[in-house]
Amino acid sequence: AGGTPARNPGRSPFWTGVYADAAGTGWMVSHIAPVYAADRFAGTVGTDLRLAALGDYLGQLSWPAGRAWIVNDQGQVLAGQGLNTAQFDQVQLLEHVLAPGLREVPTGELLRPTQGLHHESGYWLSAQRVQSAPFTLFYAVSNGELNALILPAFLPFGLAIGALLLVLFAAQLVL
């Protein structure tokens, strides 16, 4: 119905909101485009995207730390690492799946597109718009997760620098 000339005079393709498939295949969104033949409305074509497929895609990506979600413009979580949308009787809002420290930050602020990472409430965050859909890829990693990932890599260098300082200190004492 949203693709008809009365509802879509600009003849633009569009994404639907999240809905439960009537056939029981789960939560999904659809991309719909109006079709015109000789400037006469002929109907619409579209494709359905199951949210479970988005979740499978995120699950295949390698993330050494943190979590990622795909969120629509209404703040609804379409997919997330370790989040099974099939278990829900309604679509979850981002604020309900975030860590407590991030829940107080307004969703609009969290989903504002950024260049690189920015720090907020003990987390490093990134929000990137999906180019051809009204979705945002949102990523959050805590300070603790980053420390656990990075500090072990610096330990050998720290030990080597400590040993060099000890040698320099001993040399100063001897001289």
Side-chain angles (χ1 to χ4, degrees), residues 84-170:
N84 185 356
T85 56
Q87 295 174 344
F88 301 126
D89 56 355
Q90 64 182 1
V91 177
Q92 298 293 300
L93 295 175
L94 182 61
E95 60 198 39
H96 296 147
V97 298
L98 290 175
L102 290 174
R103 290 181 188 160
E104 290 110 32
V105 181
T107 302
E109 190 175 319
L110 291 173
L111 297 180
R112 186 174 313 129
T114 59
Q115 292 290 84
L117 297 171
H118 71 280
H119 197 260
E120 182 77 45
S121 301
Y123 286 83
W124 288 94
L125 310 172
S126 177
Q128 299 296 319
R129 288 291 290 183
V130 175
Q131 197 167 42
S132 58
F135 309 145
T136 300
L137 176 61
F138 178 69
Y139 177 73
V141 59
S142 72
N143 291 340
E145 288 174 296
L146 279 179
N147 289 340
L149 184 66
I150 295 171
L151 290 180
F154 284 108
L155 185 61
F157 300 109
L159 291 174
I161 290 171
L164 285 174
L165 289 173
L166 191 61
V167 167
L168 285 174
F169 180 71

